[in-house]
Every structure is written in structure tokens, then in C-alpha cells.
Amino acid sequence: MTTADRPIGRRVSGMASLMNGRTTVLSDIWGVLHNGLEAWPSAVDALSQARKAGHTVILISNAPRPAAPVRVQLTGLGVPLSAYDDIVTSGDVTRGLLQGTYRDAAVTHIGPPKDRPLVDGLDINFTGDEDADVCLCSGLLDDQTETPEDYRARLAPLAERGVPMICANPDKIVDVGGKLIYCAGALADLYEEMGGETIILGKPHAPIYREALRRAGDPDPASCLALGDSMRTDVRGAVEQGIGCLFLTAGIHAAEFGPSMAPSPQRVEAFLAQADYPVEAWMPRLAW
């Protein structure tokens, strides 16, 4: 079936209409539950209502940190523990790779000090770029002012030596209170462009979904519903794992649709018709 022939996801007023026969919700965090500065009450209520109705809710995030600090952040933003059962992050699966395949490797790190919890408690041989066997990338040192191009000179020798880059956050950009900032995924793109090898474990790739489903008790993917605002990570990842997706338009793609809470249905439908991956339904912001 071509994109032209494919059904376009319908608009819904709440996720409850999609939950019949479903056991599990896999929800993105940033862009679905909050914008980096505040949580959205209707989204928090939706997940809380899903749990009250007997559904398992697993938060699945490309955050380059383990679940524990993400949980603290969510609590500070007003997302109670009662809104979800567990959290799986790109940081969690990255830690697993560092403890396994790259246990004895010399590692150089690209990322800000705030990402250090990613490696807390791990026995890692950190070194400079010139001696590294692998590059761990969690983000830009200053994501408020820097762009990926600022890293081209640093990345070139690593790419030339064939040093693989573990990208701890596949997101390319994220919306922070209305401002778009670059993430580690943008550096991974540049590294690949320069001929470097990248290893990406978060959304849309399978490892993070396998872990999320394991923590949910290994449900049939067909009995799950994914919630996300990114076509490249959330929707693609869900579809490739056989999971239906509710697309939230007021997230990272909001500027393409008009006013965030009153998007143009025609613009949304045109976007979905041309997308590489189908969604089951869409709405501006998550609600029950």
C-alpha cells in the first residue's frame, strides 16, 4: 500500500476511545507529558485514568539518563508516581551496552555535566579523544548556544579512526518552553555524514521497546498503544514494533499545523498522508 492509498488516522477527543482490547500504554514523555518547564494536567490525568482503568503505563523516553533522575524531574514538574508504572530511558539501555559489549573499552564522552548520572556507578575507563575505543555522546555541552557544526572539528579525527559513537539520545531537537534545542541525535547525524559509525539504542530502535515491553510483562504488541509527538522516533518506532500510535500534534511538529491547540485538520491530514509511517489517531494534546 502506498502512502496515497493508506488510511489517515482519525482525530479523537481522548485516548479512552482507543483503549478497547488494549492492556498497555507506552508513552513518550517530553512533548506528551510536559514541555520541559511544566507538565500538562490533561496529559497527567489521561495516564492516571488509564491506570485506574487497569491498563499498564510505561513511560519510554530518549533521555540520556537512567530512569531514577527522570522520575525525580517528573515529580518536580507535577507528574505523580500514580500516573505510570515504570520508566525506560535511552540512558538505561545505553548503560546496559556499556556494561556489556564495551565493558573494557576506553571511552571518550561528549555531553554536558548534567548527563553524568548516565554513567554513575559504572566502572568505565574514560579517556581523551585520541585514545578512545568508543565515543559516548549524550548531547551538546551547551545546547542553548551550540549547534552540531561546532563539533565537526572534534568529530573528524574520531570518524577517521573508525571510532563508533554510542548515541545516548536519538532525538535531534527538543522543544523547551517553545524554544527548539539540539540533542545528541543531531550530532549522530553529523557523525554519520562524516563517515562515522553510530550505535543508537533509543527510539525508534528495537532495544528500548523490548525493554519497555519486558517491564510491562511482555504483552502482545498489538495490545499496546504508543503515545508520541515525533514522527521520526515515536511513530516510526511504534509502527516498526507492531504497535498502534496516537499522534500528539501540539509537540515537536506543532509549527506545521497552525495554533497548537487548534491545529488545521487539513494541514494535519496532509502531513499524515505524506508521512512514512501511519498513525491510528491524532489529537492536539493528550487527554483521556
Side-chain angles (χ1 to χ4, degrees), residues 59-249:
L59 304 185
I60 178 171
S61 170
N62 276 348
R65 294 173 292 284
V70 173
R71 186 175 292 109
V72 171
Q73 179 193 31
L74 288 174
T75 300
L77 290 173
V79 181
L81 298 177
S82 60
Y84 57 92
D85 291 277
D86 207 344
I87 304 173
V88 179
T89 71
S90 182
D92 290 329
V93 289
T94 297
R95 284 171 64 89
L97 184 66
L98 290 170
Q99 289 177 304
T101 303
Y102 291 99
R103 176 181 296 274
D104 299 320
V107 180
T108 187
H109 178 222
I110 297 176
K114 68 180 180 181
D115 290 342
R116 294 300 291 185
L118 173 63
V119 295
D120 280 353
L122 301 184
D123 184 16
I124 295 178
N125 175 26
F126 281 110
T127 186
D129 290 358
E130 62 280 359
D131 298 316
D133 300 314
V134 64
C135 173
L136 172 63
C137 179
S138 61
L140 287 69
L141 289 169
D142 184 357
D143 56 19
Q144 297 298 311
T145 62
E146 292 180 329
T147 73
E149 280 300 319
D150 294 318
Y151 288 79
R152 184 177 289 274
R154 178 177 178 182
L155 294 177
L158 293 169
E160 289 172 3
R161 290 203 297 112
V163 175
M165 172 189 283
I166 300 174
C167 177
N169 177 3
D171 288 347
K172 298 181 182 182
I173 56 174
V174 69
D175 181 350
V176 181
K179 179 181 180 181
L180 296 179
I181 63 173
Y182 288 103
C183 302
L187 289 179
D189 278 357
L190 175 60
Y191 200 60
E192 288 186 348
E193 175 192 312
M194 299 171 68
E197 174 192 355
T198 59
I199 301 169
I200 305 177
L201 304 176
K203 297 177 293 183
H205 302 280
I208 196 168
Y209 289 93
R210 286 198 296 266
E211 179 61 17
L213 292 174
R214 184 189 70 79
R215 297 194 191 186
D218 290 318
D220 183 343
S223 73
C224 301
L225 179 69
L227 314 176
D229 69 315
S230 169
M231 185 61 64
R232 186 184 72 87
T233 56
D234 301 319
V235 178
R236 175 187 168 188
V239 171
E240 289 185 345
Q241 299 306 312
I243 301 170
C245 188
L246 171 59
F247 178 58
L248 288 312
T249 63

